Amino acid sequence: MMSNVELKVEGMSCNHCVVSIEGALREIGSKGKVNLANDTVKVEYDEKKVNLEQIKEAIEDQGYDVL
Ligand SMILES: [Cu+2]
C-alpha cells in the first residue's frame, strides 16, 4: 500500500536543491517530487519500508527545513 504526503519545505531555491532532495528520497526507497513554485515536496512511499520520520530526516540531512 503506497502512501502519499505533501511536505512544506523551506530553503529550496534551484535545480541543485531538487536533485539533492529527490536523490536523498530515492536512496531511502521513496519517490519525491519537488515543486519550487510553492515550496513543497510530494513524496510517495511504502509504509512497510519507510516512515514519515525517515522522509523528513532525509530532507533535513540535505540542509532544508521541513515545516
Ligand atoms: Cu538550490
Side-chain angles (χ1 to χ4, degrees):
M1 183 70 189
M2 299 302 277
S3 296
N4 284 280
V5 67
E6 188 175 73
L7 301 169
K8 193 87 177 165
V9 177
E10 211 169 59
M12 304 185 297
S13 59
C14 68
N15 197 53
H16 168 80
C17 304
V18 175
V19 170
S20 301
I21 290 174
E22 291 183 357
L25 291 170
R26 199 176 307 118
E27 270 182 37
I28 62 166
S30 63
K31 198 171 125 195
K33 184 84 188 90
V34 173
N35 185 338
L36 291 177
N38 62 6
D39 297 315
T40 60
V41 181
K42 276 185 182 165
V43 188
E44 188 180 312
Y45 63 105
D46 184 343
E47 279 180 332
K48 286 180 183 149
K49 294 176 183 162
V50 57
N51 62 42
L52 188 53
E53 210 45 52
Q54 290 171 297
I55 288 167
K56 290 179 179 174
E57 271 175 29
I59 295 172
E60 288 172 345
D61 283 350
Q62 297 302 311
Y64 305 94
D65 289 326
V66 179
L67 302 184

